[in-house]
Amino acid sequence: MEKEVLSKPYLLSSDDLTIEDVNLIFDRVKYFEYHYSLGATFNDLNGYTVALAFFEPSTRTRISFEIAAKRLGGNTILFSSATSSLTKGESLLDTLHTIEAMDVQIFVVRHSGCGVPLFLQRNTNKIVINAGDGKHEHPTQALLDSYTILKHFGYINGLKVCIVGDVLHSRVARSNIILLKKLGAQIAFSGPGTLIPRHFSIWNVNFFRTIDEAIDWADVIMLLRLQNERMDSGLVPSLSEFSRLYGLTVERISRKPELVVLHPGPVNYGIELQYEAPSFPNVLIQTQVTHGVFVRMALLSLLVKTYESRAK
Ligand code: CP
């Protein structure tokens, strides 16, 4: 019988996923894309409630998890720390157990603290999904990025992916490095030395001083915004200097039209990407967003199956 469960009933890091898990998720993504396009409805999350616990701002991840859960017949509740009893001194753990007591089975957690989703997962027998923890990881973003690359090229093994910009503060970069390397891609970084992890060579990645060298090498450029909310000041001399050396312009894309351009969003147009660039067919930023819903549907569906198989 075909394997229908993941190796773990939670997702905290790209490291939690085996290649078999990723293939299973991508097969399920294709299933949902196809059947949704035919007008099918789904009941994979019937009887389940998903807590969207976002302690940091989000547009794409929060809304796509909400749409994904609802398309699968699940309920969602939105937990906002600013209007919760955390402001009255209740601990994170008490908050978790309080929501659990209302028969919530799935926690999608975004937090500025690295390791918060892991801490919660260790203190519950419910499903926990990391929706971005500090500068640590954002594994569902890596899944949707890999799926977008796979769908465009038909394969990932051997492709050259260069991550450009603020790699140091990026949870998207960390999750992508782990996942894309697992799937056989070659990875490189490009960015100012102050925004590249000091010991990056342990990841066995290439490094390019300018985006022009990166474009010459890469099949895929993954742009990152400057994550000022996680940065000490003064890590780039000026925005215009950063943009001149690492910004993707129409002129640069025109030199290599087959180059695929990804960005997890939100984009700071005029800094890492020129305003007019999204009109190029291989700039797949909107496609990434669309894939994000189907990837999260697939993940939720498979995590519930995995959770139920362990409860038997
Ligand atoms: N890519 C991403 O995590 O975007 P949001 O912060 O809008 O969720």
Side-chain angles (χ1 to χ4, degrees):
M1 199 177 107
E2 197 188 331
K3 179 178 173 263
E4 281 255 296
V5 295
L6 300 172
S7 48
K8 293 180 178 169
Y10 54 80
L11 179 61
L12 306 174
S13 159
S14 292
D15 259 334
D16 291 326
L17 297 166
T18 63
I19 292 176
E20 292 73 31
D21 289 334
V22 178
N23 289 334
L24 191 62
I25 292 168
F26 288 173
D27 284 347
R28 196 88 186 130
V29 177
K30 287 177 202 152
Y31 170 88
F32 282 131
E33 280 183 323
Y34 177 68
H35 290 277
Y36 182 76
S37 75
L38 299 179
T41 56
F42 312 99
N43 61 7
D44 306 45
L45 256 64
N46 261 2
Y48 280 84
T49 301
V50 181
L52 303 163
F54 279 67
F55 298 81
E56 265 195 347
S58 167
T59 298
R60 292 150 202 78
T61 313
R62 186 183 64 72
I63 294 175
S64 62
F65 264 114
E66 185 165 358
I67 292 173
K70 287 184 170 153
R71 275 190 197 164
L72 295 174
N75 293 315
T76 59
I77 57 153
L78 182 58
F79 172 83
S80 159
S81 55
T83 55
S84 76
S85 290
L86 283 167
T87 59
K88 295 183 265 182
E90 189 165 40
S91 72
L92 192 57
L93 209 49
D94 266 351
T95 305
L96 171 74
H97 293 319
T98 301
I99 300 173
E100 264 184 336
M102 297 182 219
D103 199 25
V104 170
Q105 305 89 357
I106 304 173
F107 292 83
V108 177
V109 182
R110 170 170 291 190
H111 200 285
S112 59
C114 300
V116 167
L118 171 67
F119 171 73
L120 296 177
Q121 189 273 327
R122 287 196 173 160
N123 284 283
T124 180
N125 60 2
K126 309 296 185 200
I127 297 168
V128 177
I129 301 172
N130 181 1
D133 61 330
K135 59 182 183 180
H136 179 225
E137 282 219 40
H138 191 353
T140 61
Q141 180 69 45
L143 277 170
L144 77 89
D145 291 342
S146 289
Y147 185 72
T148 303
I149 293 171
L150 178 67
K151 207 152 175 210
H152 183 87
F153 289 95
Y155 63 96
I156 294 179
N157 191 32
L159 285 174
K160 296 174 181 166
V161 181
C162 187
I163 305 175
V164 180
D166 183 3
V167 180
L168 182 66
H169 301 98
S170 176
R171 54 195 176 208
V172 172
R174 272 169 191 73
S175 286
N176 263 304
I177 293 159
I178 297 167
L179 192 65
L180 284 167
K181 280 179 83 88
K182 211 173 267 194
L183 299 174
Q186 297 179 57
I187 308 292
F189 297 157
S190 181
T194 48
L195 296 179
I196 298 295
R198 189 169 298 173
H199 303 294
F200 74 86
S201 57
I202 60 169
W203 278 318
N204 195 20
V205 298
N206 293 322
F207 174 73
F208 297 107
R209 287 203 175 280
T210 66
I211 196 170
D212 294 307
E213 295 170 54
I215 289 170
D216 286 343
W217 176 84
D219 301 301
V220 179
I221 291 284
M222 186 179 290
L223 297 171
L224 300 172
R225 72 181 170 89
L226 295 171
Q227 287 141 92
N228 294 310
E229 70 274 28
R230 285 182 241 291
M231 225 187 254
D232 298 327
S233 60
L235 293 183
V236 290
S238 70
L239 286 183
S240 60
E241 183 80 352
F242 175 83
S243 190
R244 188 174 64 76
L245 284 173
Y246 302 105
L248 195 53
T249 58
V250 163
E251 190 276 323
R252 282 173 166 146
I253 297 175
S254 304
R255 279 200 290 117
K256 192 170 179 180
E258 71 277 20
L259 183 74
V260 164
V261 179
L262 303 182
H263 193 310
V267 180
N268 290 150
Y269 284 104
I271 301 175
E272 69 268 20
L273 188 63
Q274 194 177 335
Y275 286 95
E276 295 76 12
S279 61
F280 280 74
N282 288 344
V283 177
L284 303 181
I285 299 169
Q286 291 301 102
T287 308
Q288 288 172 270
V289 175
T290 305
H291 288 164
V293 176
F294 291 105
V295 164
R296 288 168 178 130
M297 285 171 76
L299 181 69
L300 287 167
S301 162
L302 288 165
L303 282 175
V304 162
K305 281 188 204 298
T306 309
Y307 179 75
E308 287 173 352
S309 77
R310 291 184 177 221
K312 281 177 191 157

